[in-house]
Structures are given as structure tokens and as C-alpha cells.
């Protein structure tokens, strides 16, 4: 599910740990189990001789097939089981016809019931596919793939939604080229699902418009804050970090309650902490603290990593948080996108292949002219 051009991946493509491997293994077992059951019944019938015990075991084949195959295939498994039962029931010493008829009738009933369950399962699967298609369309409309190049910057993104079944989450990012230089945002909406997506769409819409209109990056923050104040509930908020590149060799950062970015300068990773603690967007009016621009030198080859707390709060089976600065330092390579690929792979390995929270990584590098 990787698309190298935009460096934006759908959530189900990103999860490549043991979880998907286990699912494929379970699907394979479910596919071959009905065949194994029929073969085992035949072997038992030949070795054990005439009787009803092995005949009743044949009902397991269509029942198990309902978990993997469609109604027609389930009926086919049932028909094969019935044919085997009738054929083996003709051997000398077999139970009476009345006894066999009762067991074979039960097998037929189980086959019909299994076929109905299979049809219901397929219907639910089609509904889930339709829901996921709508969710993915909404996700793509909001988190449009960022270009590989914005002005003098190279961009790479990796995104994983915790609600992988819906392919949708509450993290958001965006990069736009404005008359005042490239500008970027990384934010995390409180909550998940459709309410979070609605808020994410609002934040990105206001950011993209204000970023083109406002020369001052702090005015962009104010525009987003004012919009959220009018539209969010009292308990809702959005942590965000906004970055501006007013000149090729310098960047400005405004942090509103978000995890601090990581700066890679001359192959050394440092945390860009805000000058003061500022509440998230939507709650700024509750505090006297206001966001302050942090100005940082950004030389050719330097990189800036924006991310959400789903990355740093990912835990392994021992409860240890993912050490993002250390891992970034370890995986710095000459290949810009290779760094992010390796970092994302280590994140999934650390958390057992499946994240418990939405996680986004946005890596920005000042490239050569």
C-alpha cells in the first residue's frame, strides 16, 4: 500500500508487524480446515469401521467452511459430506437406515444453517468495505498527500491511524507554499473517529487559508484559535505546532501544547523546546500564556521532524516508551526517506506491530538549491 511519490501511506499499509502476519496465518488455517476435517473423517471411518460417531463428525466441515467460504462453497462442502456419509453407510455392518437418516438429516440442517451464516458474514464484510471506502475518501480529502518538494524543502510523511478498521484518525498535518515561504502544521485533535476528523478538517482549512493571508505566523495561530473557539465544545482542544520558513536558512516555530519538534543539525538531534508552556488551541483564552516564536537556524542538509504523541507514547510489552530522539539519531542516513522508513519500522516493532494511538511523522529537510 505504499505510494513513494507522495510519501503518504494509508493506515492499513503502514501496519506491517506481526498482527497482519497472524491474520494471514489464521485465514490460511480457516481455508484448509474443512478439507482436513473431511480427510480425517474418511481416515477414521476406514480404520474404525461402520458406526455413527464418524458420520456425525462430517457436520464440522460445512460449519467450519462458513467462516471462510461463501454460501455456495459451504453447500458444496455439505453435499460432499452427505455423499461420503451415504456411501460409507452402505458398508456391511453399518447402522440401520433409520439411524443413518437421522444423522444425515442433522448434517443437512447444519449445512443450510452454515450457508445462511456465511451469507450474513459476507453481507457484513461488504458493509465494512463500504464504510472503509468512505472513511478512506474522507481521510484523503483531509490529509491530502504532501508533495515531495515544497520550495527548497524536501518532505516525507508516515501516518498510522489507531482505528485501522476505519482508516481514520485524529492526527493532522499539512505543508503549503505561501507568499511568506513554506509553512507546515502538525496537530493532534482530542478524541478519535468522525468527530476528530471533523475538527481536523476545520483546523487544516483555516490553516491553509490563514497561512496565505497572514505575514506573521502568530497571526495564523490566532486565526485557528478563533475558529476553534467558535466551533469546539468546552472540553475539546487541539495540540499543534506551526512552522514557518521565512528565509532559506531560518525557521520559526510556534508550539501550542504539542510535543516539541526534533531538529537535526550537522547530524546531531536536539529537541526544540518552546520558551514557555502554552495551552492547546481551543483553550488559549483560559490562560495568560501566549505562543512565542522560536527562531532556529536551518542550514542546507538540516532536518526537522514533526510528530504526534502517538509516537512517543507507544509502549513495548515492558511498558517502555518509544525513545524517538535516540532512534532518530541512530537511523540518520544520507537517504532522506530511508531515515523515516527506518524510524517508522522501529516504531511498529517497538509496539508489537500495532499502535494504540494515532501516530504521524513529518520530516522536513532543507535541500540543495
Amino acid at each position: 500500500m505504499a505510494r513513494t511519490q507522495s510519501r503518504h501511506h494509508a493506515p492499513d499499509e503502514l501496519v506491517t508487524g506481526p498482527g497482519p502476519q497472524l491474520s494471514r496465518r489464521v485465514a490460511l488455517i480457516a481455508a484448509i480446515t474443512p478439507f482436513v476435517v473431511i480427510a480425517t473423517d474418511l481416515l477414521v471411518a476406514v480404520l474404525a469401521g461402520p458406526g455413527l460417531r464418524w458420520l456425525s463428525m462430517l457436520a464440522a466441515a460445512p460449519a467450519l467452511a462458513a467462516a471462510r467460504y461463501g454460501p455456495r462453497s459451504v453447500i458444496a462442502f455439505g453435499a460432499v459430506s452427505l455423499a461420503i456419509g451415504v456411501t460409507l453407510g452402505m458398508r456391511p455392518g453399518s447402522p440401520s437406515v433409520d439411524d443413518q437418516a437421522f444423522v444425515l438429516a442433522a448434517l443437512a440442517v447444519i449445512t443450510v444453517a452454515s450457508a445462511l451464516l456465511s451469507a450474513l458474514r459476507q453481507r457484513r464484510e461488504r458493509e465494512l468495505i463500504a464504510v472503509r471506502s468512505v472513511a478512506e475518501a474522507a481521510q484523503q480529502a483531509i490529509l491530502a498527500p504532501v508533495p515531495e518538494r515544497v520550495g527548497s524543502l524536501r518532505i516525507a510523511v508516515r501516518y498510522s491511524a489507531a482505528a485501522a478498521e476505519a482508516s481514520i484518525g485524529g492526527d493532522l498535518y499539512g505543508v503549503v507554499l505561501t507568499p511568506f515561504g513554506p509553512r507546515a502544521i502538525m496537530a493532534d485533535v482530542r478524541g478519535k473517529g468522525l468527530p476528530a476528523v471533523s475538527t481536523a478538517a476545520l483546523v487544516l482549512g483555516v490553516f491553509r487559508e490563514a497561512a496565505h493571508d497572514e505575514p506573521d505566523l502568530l497571526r495564523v495561530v490566532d486565526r485557528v484559535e478563533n475558529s476553534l473557539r467558535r466551533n469546539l465544545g468546552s472540553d475539546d482542544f487541539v495540540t499543534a505546532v506551526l512552522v514557518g520558513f521565512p528565509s532559506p536558512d531560518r525557521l520559526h516555530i510556534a508550539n501550542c501544547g504539542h510535543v516539541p519538534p526534533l531538529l537535526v543539525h550537522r547530524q546531531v538531534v536536539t529537541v526544540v523546546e518552546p520558551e514557555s508552556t502554552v495551552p492547546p488551541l481551543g483553550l488559549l483564552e483560559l490562560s495568560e500564556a501566549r505562543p512565542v516564536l522560536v527562531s532556529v537556524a536551518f542550514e542546507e542538509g538540516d532536518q526537522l521532524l514533526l510528530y504526534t504523541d502517538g509516537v512517543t507514547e507507544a509502549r513495548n510489552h515492558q511498558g517502555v516508551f518509544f525513545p524517538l530522539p535516540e532512534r532518530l539519531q541512530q537511523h540518520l542516513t544520507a537517504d532522506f526517506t530511508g531515515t523515516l522508513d527506518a524510524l517508522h519500522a522501529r516504531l511498529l516493532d517497538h509496539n508489537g506491530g500495532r499502535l494504540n494511538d494515532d501516530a504521524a511523522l513529518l520530516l522536513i529537510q532543507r535541500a540543495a538549491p
Side-chain angles (χ1 to χ4, degrees):
M1 61 172 13
R3 288 179 292 177
T4 56
Q5 182 178 2
S6 65
R7 296 298 169 185
H8 176 279
H9 296 256
D12 54 336
E13 297 171 334
L14 293 174
V15 181
T16 57
Q21 295 176 4
L22 179 61
S23 298
R24 289 191 292 268
R25 194 174 300 120
V26 170
L28 177 61
I29 293 173
I32 66 175
T33 298
F35 296 98
V36 173
V37 168
I38 291 178
T40 303
D41 285 346
L42 282 171
L43 180 62
V44 171
V46 171
L47 296 178
L52 291 176
R53 292 184 178 180
W54 58 265
L55 189 59
S56 61
M57 291 173 58
L58 289 169
L64 292 172
R68 175 63 177 82
Y69 295 96
R72 293 183 179 179
S73 297
V74 172
I75 293 175
F77 277 109
V80 170
S81 298
L82 283 169
I84 293 174
V86 171
T87 301
L88 296 178
M90 296 178 181
R91 294 182 300 174
S94 297
S96 65
V97 175
D98 292 339
D99 292 337
Q100 291 188 48
F102 177 79
V103 177
L104 293 174
L107 174 57
V109 171
I110 292 174
T111 298
V112 173
S114 299
L116 292 175
L117 290 175
S118 174
L120 179 60
R121 175 185 56 80
Q122 287 190 330
R123 178 181 177 183
R124 294 293 177 86
E125 289 177 350
R126 288 193 295 267
E127 291 175 351
L128 178 59
I129 291 173
V131 170
R132 292 192 65 180
S133 298
V134 173
E136 289 172 359
Q139 189 80 1
Q140 290 295 324
I142 296 170
L143 295 181
V146 297
E148 288 185 339
R149 215 42 203 257
V150 178
S152 62
L153 305 177
R154 297 180 66 194
I155 311 293
V157 175
R158 299 293 180 272
Y159 176 82
S160 295
E165 292 79 8
S167 303
I168 207 159
D171 291 358
L172 64 98
Y173 54 82
V175 181
V176 295
L177 183 60
T178 75
F180 318 106
R183 285 175 171 176
I185 185 173
M186 174 68 73
D188 188 354
V189 178
R190 178 180 180 270
K192 295 181 178 67
L194 293 179
V197 172
S198 176
T199 303
L202 174 65
V203 172
L204 278 175
V206 177
F207 166 75
R208 288 165 178 160
E209 181 179 357
H212 284 85
D213 296 341
E214 302 291 348
D216 187 350
L217 188 63
L218 291 180
R219 281 290 304 150
V220 179
V221 175
D222 290 339
R223 292 268 296 270
V224 178
E225 166 68 15
N226 293 336
S227 181
L228 289 176
R229 193 182 307 161
R230 291 191 300 267
N231 292 280
L232 289 188
S234 58
D235 296 331
D236 296 327
F237 58 84
V238 179
T239 67
V241 58
L242 283 74
V243 183
F245 300 86
S247 62
D249 59 350
R250 185 152 296 272
L251 61 83
H252 293 163
I253 300 175
N255 196 326
C256 300
H258 200 76
V259 287
L262 300 180
L263 177 69
V264 181
H265 176 63
R266 298 179 181 177
Q267 299 299 302
V268 177
V269 177
T270 57
V271 181
V272 185
E273 297 282 0
E275 293 188 359
S276 60
T277 302
V278 179
L281 295 174
L283 302 177
L284 288 180
E285 65 176 355
L286 303 180
S287 172
E288 295 181 357
R290 306 301 298 174
V292 177
L293 285 184
V294 175
S295 182
V296 180
F298 200 55
E299 299 177 357
E300 183 178 320
D302 285 357
Q303 300 177 21
L304 184 73
L305 179 64
L306 308 179
Y307 56 97
T308 57
D309 59 8
V311 177
T312 51
E313 293 181 1
R315 298 172 183 253
N316 61 14
H317 64 280
Q318 297 175 337
V320 178
F321 291 110
F322 182 68
L324 180 60
E326 291 84 350
R327 293 293 178 264
L328 177 59
Q329 185 71 66
Q330 291 174 1
H331 294 288
L332 289 176
T333 65
D335 181 7
F336 170 66
T337 58
T339 295
L340 201 56
D341 287 335
L343 191 63
H344 187 265
R346 291 298 298 271
L347 171 64
L348 292 177
D349 291 341
H350 180 85
N351 207 48
R354 194 64 177 264
L355 300 176
N356 298 320
D357 193 9
D358 304 327
L361 295 161
L362 175 65
L363 187 61
I364 303 173
Q365 181 187 53
R366 182 189 166 192

